[in-house]
């Protein structure tokens, strides 16, 4: 009777070290591919052809389409900040300082960060879903066959549109947040319009505006490139599109929060030495 080697019947097993090494290799490869895609999206700006109509379309989709959620969220963020800070300032009889705190927090930190996260949830996922569907249906391959660079046609317009529109959305969120803060402070703290707006504007300096409007440029680049990368690297059909959409939101949101720390540290250093 023929005997079978029991080792041949055992399933292929992978050690923990091999699994960790494979994961590290995939992570390094993903970072490399993402970096190359990001660099190419910028270098495409220095030589034609340019797809201006695609940029305008994406500015409408990303910018105008995000206005309602940004305005609504900004209003209630400013209102909640007044409610949280007023209770503390009332203990010391300094309710007028509420306008200072709300203005600085919105312009420096909350406005850029919350707007970036909202746009990432709305548009980074949409970009990944749209491009992923094009990959699955082989539209990207057909584009390459016709001699069109997918990076120039699909990625660069979305990156440019997001970088241009996110600072405008952030400024809108800051302004609407101050309006929400004023309305709540007027009815709860009895602060007049002149007192509130004078302190809210006088407390801001040039470094605060630079910090609040330069962060959205970086955040917009991050969420656009992450969404494009996740969409163009879809594998596994329609299920892969769903995974890419989820990963685009998660990765871009985490990336924005991590970069926000380093950008804040850099801006505070520049505010003390340059601006």
């Amino acid at each position: 009777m023929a005997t079978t080697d029991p080792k041949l019947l055992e399933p292929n097993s992978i050690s923990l070290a091999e699994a960790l090494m494979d994961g590290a290799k995939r992570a390094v490869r993903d970072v490399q591919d993402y970096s190359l895609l990001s660099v190419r999206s910028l270098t495409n700006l220095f030589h034609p052809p340019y797809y201006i109509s695609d940029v305008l379309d994406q500015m409408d989709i990303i910018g105008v389409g995000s206005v309602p959620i940004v305005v609504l969220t900004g209003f209630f963020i400013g209102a909640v900040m007044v409610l949280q800070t007023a209770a503390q300032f009332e203990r010391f009889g300094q309710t007028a300082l509420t306008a200072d705190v709300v203005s600085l927090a919105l312009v420096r930190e909350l406005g850029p960060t919350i707007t970036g996260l909202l746009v990432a949830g709305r548009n980074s996922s949409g970009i990944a879903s749209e491009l992923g569907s094009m990959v699955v249906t082989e539209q990207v391959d057909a584009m390459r066959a016709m001699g069109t660079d997918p990076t120039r046609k699909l990625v660069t317009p979305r990156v440019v549109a997001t970088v241009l529109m996110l600072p405008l959305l952030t400024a809108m969120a800051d302004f609407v947040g101050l309006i929400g803060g004023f309305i709540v402070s007027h009815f709860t703290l009895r602060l007049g319009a002149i007192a509130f707006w004078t302190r809210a504007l006088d407390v801001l300096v040039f470094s605060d505006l630079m910090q609040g409007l330069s962060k959205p440029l970086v955040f917009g680049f991050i969420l656009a490139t992450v969404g494009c990368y996740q969409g163009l690297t879809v594998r596994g059909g329609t299920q892969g599109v769903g995974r890419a959409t989820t990963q685009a939101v998660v990765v871009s949101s985490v990336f924005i929060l991590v970069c926000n720390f380093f950008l804040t540290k850099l801006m505070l250093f520049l505010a003390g030495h340059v601006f």
Side-chain angles (χ1 to χ4, degrees), residues 138-148:
E138 299 182 352
Q139 296 181 48
V140 176
D141 294 335
M143 193 176 296
R144 291 192 180 97
M146 291 186 296
T148 303

Side-chain angles (χ1 to χ4, degrees), residues 14-183:
I14 301 177
S15 64
L16 177 61
E18 292 176 346
L20 293 176
M21 184 62 66
D22 291 340
K25 289 179 180 179
R26 286 194 298 269
V28 172
R29 182 198 61 196
D30 292 339
V31 171
Q32 175 182 322
D33 294 341
Y34 169 75
S35 301
L36 291 175
L37 180 67
S38 301
V39 172
R40 290 186 62 188
S41 68
L42 294 178
T43 56
N44 290 334
L45 298 174
F46 298 101
H47 49 86
Y50 303 110
Y51 298 95
I52 305 299
S53 60
D54 292 338
V55 175
L56 296 177
D57 290 340
Q58 293 302 319
M59 290 176 68
D60 177 67
I61 296 172
I62 296 172
V64 179
S66 301
V67 167
I69 187 174
V70 169
V71 168
L72 183 65
T73 305
F75 179 87
F76 284 102
I77 287 176
V80 169
M81 285 192 59
V82 171
L83 293 177
Q84 292 287 353
T85 57
Q88 302 301 320
F89 286 130
E90 281 181 331
R91 298 169 55 188
F92 305 100
Q94 297 292 333
T95 56
L97 293 176
T98 303
D100 301 49
V101 174
V102 173
S103 179
L104 286 175
L106 281 175
V107 173
R108 280 187 176 185
E109 193 64 39
L110 290 179
T113 305
I114 298 299
T115 303
L117 294 176
L118 289 174
V119 177
R122 181 186 182 276
N123 294 297
S124 186
S125 59
I127 291 172
S129 176
E130 182 180 3
L131 298 187
S133 299
M134 295 180 67
V135 171
V136 171
T137 56
E138 299 182 352
Q139 296 181 48
V140 176
D141 294 335
M143 193 176 296
R144 291 192 180 97
M146 291 186 296
T148 303
D149 184 7
T151 304
R152 183 183 298 277
K153 175 69 174 177
L154 301 176
V155 178
T156 301
R158 287 166 173 80
V159 173
V160 173
T162 308
V163 171
L164 291 178
M165 296 306 297
L166 196 59
L168 301 179
L169 292 172
T170 301
M172 187 177 298
D174 294 340
F175 178 68
V176 176
L178 288 175
I179 292 177
F182 164 68
I183 293 175

